[in-house]
């Protein structure tokens, strides 16, 4: 699993995930920062690199972590966590057998259970294009007041 954030129409931030079923989902390592106009193939390649960096182990003690420790937030250059969340779209990419499940939603949403889903093969360019399309579709839902 990997997370991609599109922050304020300025950049993409791609993070790796540490996750074990029944545990918390935790972003690990430093995010890759890409310009908003990155080629679809380069975006897809970066996401696949982060998928391969998946770490399946129980996270350590998280009690001392603060929101400002969030690596994606720090890499965004946002002035505050709230500003980052309010101006970001999150995409979760997860491998399921031979396809990639792509889900996009605003980070801050009044209806967090609603998202846009795409399914794509592992070709870099198609993955990058699907990420962009799912974010665009989620933005239409937000404009309609649904997310």
């Amino acid at each position: 699993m990997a997370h991609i954030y599109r922050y304020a129409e300025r950049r993409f931030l791609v993070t790796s995930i540490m996750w074990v079923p029944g545990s918390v989902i935790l972003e690990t390592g430093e995010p890759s920062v890409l310009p908003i106009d990155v080629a679809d193939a380069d975006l897809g390649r970066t996401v696949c690199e982060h998928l391969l960096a998946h770490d399946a182990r129980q996270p350590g003690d998280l009690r001392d972590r603060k929101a400002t420790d969030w690596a994606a937030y720090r890499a965004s250059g946002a002035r505050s966590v709230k500003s980052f969340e309010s101006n970001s779209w999150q995409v979760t990419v997860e491998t399921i057998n031979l396809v990639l499940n792509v889900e996009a939603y605003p980070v801050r949403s009044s209806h967090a259970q609603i998202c846009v889903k795409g399914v794509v093969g592992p070709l870099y360019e198609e993955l990058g294009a699907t990420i962009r399309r799912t974010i665009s579709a989620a933005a239409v839902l937000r404009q309609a007041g649904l997310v």
Side-chain angles (χ1 to χ4, degrees):
M1 187 183 296
H3 283 165
I4 302 95
Y5 297 92
R6 188 190 74 188
Y7 172 63
E9 297 284 340
R10 293 186 200 148
R11 60 186 58 101
F12 287 102
L13 308 154
V14 185
T15 65
S16 299
I17 301 297
M18 173 192 295
W19 177 69
V20 176
S23 179
V24 297
I25 295 173
L26 181 67
E27 295 173 6
T28 62
E30 288 302 311
S32 296
V33 180
L34 304 170
I36 197 70
D37 60 352
V38 64
D40 287 342
D42 292 334
L43 176 58
R45 181 181 304 102
T46 302
V47 170
C48 286
E49 289 169 358
H50 280 271
L51 285 170
L52 291 172
H54 169 81
D55 191 357
R57 62 184 165 89
Q58 293 289 340
D61 187 3
L62 302 175
R63 288 182 281 203
D64 293 333
R65 294 187 68 151
K66 298 177 239 150
T68 54
D69 295 335
W70 187 9
Y73 154 69
R74 288 192 326 267
S76 74
R79 292 181 184 212
S80 67
V81 172
K82 184 176 180 179
S83 174
F84 175 69
E85 291 176 335
S86 297
N87 292 291
S88 293
W89 294 88
Q90 183 174 342
V91 178
T92 298
V93 177
E94 182 177 16
T95 58
I96 301 177
N97 297 322
L98 298 175
V99 298
L100 299 171
N101 188 42
V102 179
E103 294 182 351
Y105 41 88
V107 174
R108 283 187 164 250
S109 173
S110 55
H111 303 286
Q113 69 276 24
I114 299 174
C115 68
V116 174
K117 180 178 178 178
V119 177
V120 66
L123 298 175
Y124 296 148
E125 190 167 351
E126 289 179 18
L127 175 56
T130 299
I131 289 167
R132 290 182 196 278
R133 283 194 297 270
T134 57
I135 292 171
S136 294
V140 169
L141 292 178
R142 171 160 271 176
Q143 291 170 349
L146 299 171
V147 295

